[in-house]
Amino acid sequence: MVDRATWNDAGGVLVQQEKALTRMKDAISAGRRRLPMVEVRPDHAFDGPGGTVTLLDLFQGRRQLIGQHFMRGRRPIAPLPTSGHPVASSVRECGDSVE
């Protein structure tokens, strides 16, 4: 057990560390947003549900494409899992509306 002043002092140190961590994460995120773009060649092939497709084929005539980055663990799983790694799997939406 400690007195309130000691607890407040220890809590204040943690708050300052949390704020420093937030600023560091914000700086890293800003750096990631400033990364240059990489050109996707028109002949680049993607693995689609029906086989190999081009970037244009992925849009299927729509103006927007939603891409999912799905990662499984290192161990082979059969059948394939329905949920991926909680941090490394994500969905990205690009465009102004979902059709």
Side-chain angles (χ1 to χ4, degrees):
M1 298 291 280
V2 297
D3 59 48
R4 175 64 65 181
T6 302
W7 187 91
N8 285 341
D9 290 344
V13 169
L14 290 174
V15 167
Q16 293 307 311
Q17 291 173 340
E18 289 170 341
K19 287 181 178 183
L21 177 61
T22 298
R23 286 189 292 273
M24 182 183 291
K25 288 173 64 177
D26 289 346
I28 291 169
S29 295
R32 184 173 310 283
R33 288 189 299 272
R34 287 190 301 268
L35 282 171
M37 289 189 239
V38 176
E39 181 181 2
V40 177
R41 298 180 324 274
D43 62 341
H44 185 86
F46 295 88
D47 294 328
T52 303
V53 294
T54 67
L55 180 59
L56 185 60
D57 294 335
L58 290 175
F59 280 85
Q60 296 177 340
R62 297 181 181 95
R63 296 181 307 147
Q64 180 179 9
L65 175 69
I66 297 174
Q68 180 175 3
H69 178 79
F70 184 84
M71 292 187 68
R72 296 187 297 273
R74 292 183 181 167
R75 291 176 282 139
I77 301 172
L80 293 177
T82 57
S83 63
H85 188 278
V87 175
S89 296
S90 62
V91 174
R92 297 287 185 251
E93 179 183 329
C94 302
D96 54 6
S97 66
V98 177
E99 293 181 13

